[in-house]
């Protein structure tokens, strides 16, 4: 680290003219003591360095160095326990800092510059850009980045998650954006591409193999822990973070992707191409396009297919939300077929419902017709249950309902009113009332209600004499009030006597 010339002059002046020691110069000028010593040494001075106290770990350094040479990755805590058994009394935290100075460092590795031919290779990876809040749902904001290795042309698309379908959508949209396909696609060992790897034995994800067969490219994973082999996409993600996403404002993910498309065509494509600085990335891409493979006639299908189970309510759960279905398909296994905007629910080949896709959480996305059909079905079911109960209790009710139907009466309301009368008056009285209504030729609940009223009046008992006790009869004796004129005469006579 270089320091300013004026600071160097101050250090030398305080040392030679003022005779300040190294510690005083360091504290007064706010520089590290090692910096002061280096300046004085380079100037030919001999700074007086106070002797340091011998460390308690010094006697054990030969054992520590020998052990670390044999076991370079041995942890400091295990090494401290071994030294304590040999008499060391220092604390583990201080020991850890001492060991860091003596632990052997691996030699720095040198890398070859990797060069590719035009149209030969592209590299792709995910970049995590935090989270985005949509209603009650907090979804990860993931950037699918694919870059052509020769021209450095970038494809950038943001998704709400890094699941397999979005991984496939990124490939398809990148190839369509370029209008062509490179011969090799380079991955790291992410699960979307590589399910299992043992050395050179690689088990690819079958969906990625199907995608590669459709577009005729070779999927090629890099060696484990060798991110430098796909450094072009790693640097592109860092370039996107610093030059596009930093301080970027957007309303939703569609707005963010629209801005990303404009940035890729604009600022990103106008930068110099690293393979040939005389060309821009756009110019290099135009030259590379002739070396790329042609697109197939149809794009690869990237829609999501999920098996779901409908419960007792007319909804199925998909991606944190509930989507309505017809009530005739509850309690069975169905299939969800979804893209980024539409959710379709199928029973075999039959499409039961089509909904807009919701990215919120805990919402019910409904088709009004589904619920209206269920309400009508429930009402009809309630009417059937009332009819069954009535006919089971009073068989004559069936004849009354048949006659009411001939006259155009609403059977549901008729059965409901008759059921209410049955609950109040009982089976015996209702049987007689229904028979009376049929005999009168009036198949209506009002006729049954009037028959029940006539039964009640006919069954009212006549008045009976009641022998009351004497004191109760005395309470009911009528008392005739007498005239109060006599009191007025008494008051008049009293006034005359005073005169």
């Amino acid at each position: 680290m270089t320091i300013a010339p004026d600071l160097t002059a101050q250090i030398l002046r305080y040392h030679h003219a003022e005779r300040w020691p190294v510690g005083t110069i360091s504290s007064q000028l706010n520089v590290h003591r090692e910096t002061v010593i280096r300046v004085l040494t380079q100037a030919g001075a001999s700074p007086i360095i106070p002797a340091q106290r011998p460390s308690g770990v010094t006697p054990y350094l030969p054992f520590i160095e020998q052990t670390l040479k044999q076991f370079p990755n041995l942890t400091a805590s295990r090494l401290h326990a071994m030294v304590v058994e040999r008499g060391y009394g220092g604390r583990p935290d201080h020991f850890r800092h001492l060991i860091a100075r003596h632990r052997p460092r691996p030699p720095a590795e040198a890398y070859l510059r990797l060069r590719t031919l035009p149209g030969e290779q592209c590299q792709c990876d995910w970049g995590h850009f935090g989270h985005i809040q949509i209603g009650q749902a907090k979804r990860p904001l993931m950037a699918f980045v694919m870059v052509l290795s020769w021209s450095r042309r970038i494809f950038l698309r943001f998704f709400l998650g890094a699941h397999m379908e979005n991984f496939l959508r990124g490939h398809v949209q990148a190839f369509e954006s370029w209008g062509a396909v490179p011969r090799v696609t380079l991955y790291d060992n992410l699960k979307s591409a590589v399910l299992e790897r043992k050395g050179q034995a690689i088990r690819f994800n079958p969906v990625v193999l199907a995608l590669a067969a459709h577009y005729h490219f070779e999927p090629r994973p890099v060696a484990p822990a060798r991110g430098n082999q796909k450094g072009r996409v790693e640097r592109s993600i860092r370039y996107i973070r610093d030059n596009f996403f930093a301080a970027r404002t957007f309303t939703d993910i569609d707005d963010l992707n629209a801005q990303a498309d404009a940035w890729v065509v604009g600022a990103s494509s106008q930068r110099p191409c690293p393979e040939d600085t005389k060309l821009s990335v756009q110019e290099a891409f135009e030259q590379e396009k002739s070396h790329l493979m042609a697109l197939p006639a149809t794009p690869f299908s990237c829609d999501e297919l999920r098996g779901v189970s409908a419960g007792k309510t007319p909804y199925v759960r998909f991606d944190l939300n509930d989507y309505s279905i017809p009530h005739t398909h509850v309690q069975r296994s169905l299939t969800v077929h979804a893209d980024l905007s539409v959710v379709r629910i199928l029973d075999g080949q039959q499409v039961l419902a089509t909904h807009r896709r919701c990215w919120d959480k805990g919402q019910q996305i409904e088709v009004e017709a589904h619920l209206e059909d269920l309400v009508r079905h429930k009402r009809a079911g309630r009417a059937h249950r009332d009819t069954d109960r009535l006919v089971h209790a009073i068989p004559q009710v069936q004849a009354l309902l048949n006659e009411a139907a001939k006259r155009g009466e609403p059977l549901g309301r008729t059965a409901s009113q008759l059921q209410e009368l049955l609950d109040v008056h009982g089976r015996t009285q209702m049987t007689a009332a229904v028979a009376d209504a049929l005999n009168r030729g009036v198949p209506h609940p009002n006729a049954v209600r009037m028959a029940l009223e006539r039964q009640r009046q006919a069954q009212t008992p006549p008045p009976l004499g009641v022998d009351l006790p004497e004191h109760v009869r005395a309470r009911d004796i009528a008392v005739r009030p007498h005239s109060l004129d006599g009191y007025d005469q008494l008051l008049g006579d009293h006034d005359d006597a005073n005169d």
Side-chain angles (χ1 to χ4, degrees):
M1 176 181 178
T2 60
I3 60 175
D6 58 341
L7 182 58
T8 302
Q10 284 183 325
I11 292 174
L12 295 174
R13 180 169 61 85
Y14 288 137
H15 176 73
H16 293 285
E18 304 297 340
R19 302 295 182 179
W20 284 6
V22 172
T24 303
I25 298 174
S26 173
S27 61
Q28 295 301 318
L29 298 182
N30 293 323
V31 295
H32 198 275
R33 58 181 291 109
E34 297 294 338
T35 303
V36 176
I37 295 173
R38 176 166 57 84
V39 170
L40 296 177
T41 304
Q42 291 175 351
S46 299
I48 300 175
I49 304 174
Q52 297 182 352
R53 293 182 303 168
S55 174
V57 79
T58 302
Y60 304 94
L61 285 179
F63 169 76
I64 292 172
E65 293 174 352
Q66 180 181 0
T67 304
L68 288 176
K69 184 177 181 180
Q70 185 177 1
F71 305 101
N73 296 324
L74 190 66
T75 62
S77 59
R78 178 63 190 130
L79 190 57
H80 177 263
M82 297 172 66
V83 177
V84 167
E85 292 177 356
R86 289 161 175 78
Y88 177 68
R91 297 176 57 182
D93 51 352
H94 182 61
F95 181 82
R96 185 177 295 108
H97 294 296
L98 295 174
I99 291 304
R101 302 177 184 176
H102 298 277
R103 188 180 294 276
R105 305 297 180 191
E109 183 177 0
Y111 298 96
L112 293 173
R113 181 181 292 273
L114 301 179
R115 294 187 179 275
T116 59
L117 298 174
E120 182 68 19
Q121 182 193 96
C122 71
Q123 302 178 6
C124 79
D125 201 359
W126 286 108
H128 189 273
F129 285 77
H131 292 79
I132 183 172
Q133 193 74 31
I134 303 177
Q136 300 179 2
K138 184 179 181 181
R139 295 183 178 270
L141 183 61
M142 304 297 296
F144 178 88
V145 181
M146 182 175 282
V147 57
L148 290 171
S149 297
W150 188 80
S151 66
R152 302 299 204 278
R153 177 62 179 253
I154 292 175
F155 173 79
L156 172 62
R157 179 70 74 240
F158 288 91
F159 294 100
L160 298 176
H163 48 273
M164 189 65 196
E165 288 77 11
N166 287 341
F167 188 65
L168 300 176
R169 291 181 182 118
H171 283 76
V172 173
Q173 295 177 19
F175 297 153
E176 291 179 349
S177 173
W178 296 335
V181 183
R183 288 172 171 76
V184 177
T185 301
L186 208 61
Y187 307 100
D188 58 11
N189 293 273
L190 71 167
K191 289 297 182 181
S192 299
V194 178
L195 295 180
E196 187 178 6
R197 179 167 187 165
K198 299 292 184 181
Q200 297 301 318
I202 301 171
R203 185 163 69 93
F204 283 97
N205 192 314
V207 183
V208 170
L209 293 180
L211 177 73
H214 186 84
Y215 287 99
H216 311 140
F217 69 87
E218 175 193 353
R220 183 182 299 173
V222 301
R226 290 289 180 178
N228 62 289
Q229 295 182 6
K230 59 179 188 65
R232 290 171 173 83
V233 69
E234 297 288 352
R235 286 192 296 273
S236 296
I237 292 175
R238 185 168 65 247
Y239 174 61
I240 291 168
R241 291 188 191 278
D242 297 338
N243 292 271
F244 171 75
F245 194 77
R248 176 76 54 175
T249 58
F250 52 92
T251 56
D252 54 23
I253 192 168
D254 293 332
D255 179 37
L256 180 61
N257 280 325
Q259 296 184 44
D261 291 340
W263 177 81
V264 166
V265 175
S268 174
S269 296
Q270 300 306 317
R271 73 190 194 277
C273 176
E275 294 292 337
D276 187 351
T277 56
K278 298 178 182 178
L279 301 174
S280 67
V281 169
Q282 179 64 32
E283 293 170 342
F285 173 65
E286 294 297 333
Q287 294 183 14
E288 188 176 20
K289 286 183 67 174
S290 60
H291 299 275
L292 297 171
M293 298 186 298
L295 286 171
T298 57
F300 188 79
S301 176
C302 305
D303 292 342
E304 300 171 55
L305 292 176
R306 297 286 186 275
V308 294
S309 297
K312 296 181 179 179
T313 58
Y315 296 94
V316 296
R317 172 64 60 88
F318 171 70
D319 193 19
L320 307 179
N321 296 290
D322 294 330
Y323 295 85
S324 68
I325 59 172
H327 69 275
T328 54
H329 289 75
V330 297
Q331 297 189 6
R332 64 176 66 182
S333 297
L334 304 174
T335 303
V336 171
H337 184 279
D339 56 23
L340 293 177
S341 57
V342 177
V343 174
R344 297 177 181 86
I345 304 170
L346 298 87
D347 184 8
Q349 299 296 323
Q350 179 187 3
V351 179
L352 302 179
T354 301
H355 301 273
R356 61 170 180 82
R357 183 160 188 172
C358 179
W359 297 100
D360 202 342
K361 176 182 179 182
Q363 301 298 311
Q364 289 184 343
I365 297 88
E366 301 169 341
V367 174
E368 293 184 2
H370 294 163
L371 301 183
E372 292 174 356
D373 291 344
L374 177 59
V375 171
R376 286 194 294 267
H377 174 74
K378 287 294 183 181
R379 289 175 179 172
R382 205 161 33 242
H384 288 305
R385 288 196 300 272
D386 291 342
T387 302
D388 292 342
R389 289 179 59 192
L390 283 169
V391 173
H392 180 74
I394 306 171
Q396 294 88 340
V397 167
Q398 186 64 58
L400 188 146
L401 293 175
N402 292 337
E403 293 297 326
K406 293 179 182 179
R407 298 192 178 190
E409 298 291 340
L411 296 182
R413 186 173 63 185
T414 300
S416 177
Q417 293 178 355
L418 292 175
Q419 182 62 47
E420 292 177 359
L421 294 175
L422 176 62
D423 294 339
V424 174
H425 297 279
R427 178 179 178 182
T428 302
Q429 295 184 13
M430 275 292 295
T431 301
V434 169
D436 183 77
L438 290 173
N439 292 334
R440 293 176 182 273
V442 186
H444 195 276
N446 288 339
V448 177
R449 186 178 292 106
M450 294 177 63
L452 291 170
E453 181 64 22
R454 287 194 295 270
Q455 291 180 25
R456 187 187 67 79
Q457 294 177 356
Q459 294 175 0
T460 301
L464 298 176
V466 180
D467 187 13
L468 297 176
E470 184 65 27
H471 68 280
V472 175
R473 288 190 305 217
R475 285 187 311 181
D476 297 333
I477 295 175
V479 179
R480 179 181 298 174
H482 61 275
S483 178
L484 299 178
D485 294 341
Y487 292 102
D488 294 336
Q489 294 177 1
L490 290 176
L491 290 175
D493 297 339
H494 180 69
D495 293 338
D496 293 341
N498 289 335
D499 292 340

